[in-house]
Amino acid sequence: MVAGGTVSGAGAPTGPDPRTPSAHQLRLFVALAEELHFSRAAARLFITQSALSQQIKDLERRLGVQLFDRSSRTVTLTPQGRVLLADARGVVTAMDRLSHSASTQARRLSGRLVVGTVGAEAAMPYTRAVLSLLHTRHPQVQIDVRSLHFADHFDALFRHDVDVVFLRPPVPDGIEVQHLATEDRLACLPASDPLAERERITLAQLADRPVIDVPPQVPRVWWDFWAVDPRPGDTPVRYGPVASDVEGLLHLVARGEGMCFLPAAARDLFPRPGVSDVEVTDLPPSTAGLAWLRSNRTEPLIKAVAGAARCVAVA
């Protein structure tokens, strides 16, 4: 290499060709060709008229052709200018497209999002839709899906073991939820229970049936909703043995040790011998949603998945 760094190899220049116009100059050329007035074009481009004039002169020098005929009153394109205008517009459009694409790529997220799911939430259509949309928008994000017990799905968020959870509200303080779906609840009864043979029952008819309980670390605001406690008329709820996940819950129901209430989807997703699902006419529905810690709401990955959830909820 020759000292100064201007020549390498077989004498090939390493710097830019002085005859090559810049994209900026081509953008100025297009603007002036559209305005045919230096003052208006300069105002549109937020530069001074003298700077525009100097750039156009330099562009003409680089191209070796005169682009405009100038007089004291008018500016018109030369025949050469009219021919080159289409190519200049093509270059400007391509540069704009490249800039937009680069900006989009710069905004794309990367990293790892740990997603928790409870019960059958991983199989629900809204869960698949949210994660699919997130992957489409941010393909660099690694999505790690974990199955959680309902005994610890809130703790998993508070411990930062997961970033978000697909779950069934209500939720304790400090957690935000994007609603995704509404669904009826069913009473899950031992098949031997006389009420199991009926198509529909009421909460009053279930007043003396014990409800399967959950471990003490589960927030009561959540299990009180799922146990329907309190009942209409403040009927006290009698609790039975404890289960920490859906499998354990249904196992205890099948053994006749208690009953529980589950989303209607459980009828298809968790069929069990010895368990009958019965509609309850005065049982409020349940909701499904995506949850995250309120303190994490501004983190990029949380904002991205929450945005995908909002789109799915609206669709």
Side-chain angles (χ1 to χ4, degrees), residues 241-255:
V242 171
S244 61
D245 58 20
V246 175
E247 295 293 340
L249 198 70
L250 294 176
H251 173 71
L252 291 172
V253 173
R255 288 177 53 180

Side-chain angles (χ1 to χ4, degrees), residues 7-274:
V7 179
S8 64
T14 59
D17 188 338
R19 297 169 299 175
T20 301
S22 69
H24 176 63
Q25 288 177 326
L26 294 178
R27 193 179 300 278
L28 302 185
F29 167 41
V30 170
L32 182 56
E34 292 173 350
E35 298 290 345
L36 293 178
H37 192 284
F38 273 91
S39 180
R40 289 197 300 268
R44 168 179 161 183
L45 296 163
F46 300 101
I47 62 174
T48 65
Q49 186 172 334
S50 61
L52 175 60
S53 178
Q54 182 60 43
Q55 287 290 333
I56 293 299
K57 288 178 181 179
D58 186 62
L59 176 61
E60 290 176 325
R61 179 184 61 77
R62 290 175 181 241
L63 293 175
V65 296
Q66 183 176 346
L67 301 172
F68 297 96
D69 285 324
R70 307 162 179 85
S71 70
S72 59
R73 295 184 177 181
T74 62
V75 177
T76 58
L77 279 165
T78 64
Q80 298 95 326
R82 285 193 294 271
V83 171
L84 295 177
L85 178 59
D87 289 336
R89 279 192 173 123
V91 172
V92 170
T93 299
M95 291 300 294
D96 288 343
R97 188 165 54 246
L98 175 63
S99 178
H100 175 74
S101 178
S103 177
T104 299
Q105 290 299 320
R107 290 195 305 270
R108 286 189 182 274
L109 294 177
S110 60
R112 178 167 167 261
L113 182 75
V114 183
V115 179
T117 65
V118 183
E121 293 303 295
M124 302 305 287
Y126 45 78
T127 301
R128 298 195 303 272
V130 170
L131 297 184
S132 176
L133 180 57
L134 178 66
H135 176 72
T136 298
R137 289 179 170 180
H138 306 288
Q140 291 93 340
V141 173
Q142 177 186 343
I143 302 172
D144 181 3
V145 179
R146 298 183 182 179
S147 178
L148 303 173
H149 292 171
F150 56 63
D152 66 354
H153 66 291
F154 293 120
D155 282 345
L157 267 179
F158 288 120
R159 292 193 309 263
H160 303 281
D161 292 341
V162 296
D163 299 304
V164 295
V165 179
F166 287 93
L167 48 65
R168 299 284 175 145
V171 299
D173 291 340
I175 294 178
E176 293 183 339
V177 179
Q178 170 61 52
H179 173 266
L180 293 171
T182 300
E183 184 179 10
D184 289 337
R185 286 186 287 171
L186 302 173
C188 299
L189 299 170
S192 58
D193 191 305
L195 294 177
E197 299 178 0
R198 303 191 182 187
E199 290 187 6
R200 295 176 183 84
I201 57 177
T202 65
L203 284 171
Q205 292 173 289
L206 296 168
D208 61 345
R209 267 62 173 185
V211 176
I212 307 301
D213 206 354
V214 292
Q217 67 265 32
V218 177
R220 290 313 299 188
V221 66
W222 185 69
W223 195 242
D224 283 348
F225 171 81
W226 285 100
V228 196
D229 187 2
R231 300 285 173 86
D234 293 327
T235 302
V237 175
R238 183 163 58 95
Y239 288 97
V242 171
S244 61
D245 58 20
V246 175
E247 295 293 340
L249 198 70
L250 294 176
H251 173 71
L252 291 172
V253 173
R255 288 177 53 180
E257 298 191 34
M259 61 152 296
C260 66
F261 299 97
L262 288 178
R267 174 178 282 166
D268 297 321
L269 297 172
F270 294 105
R272 289 293 183 278

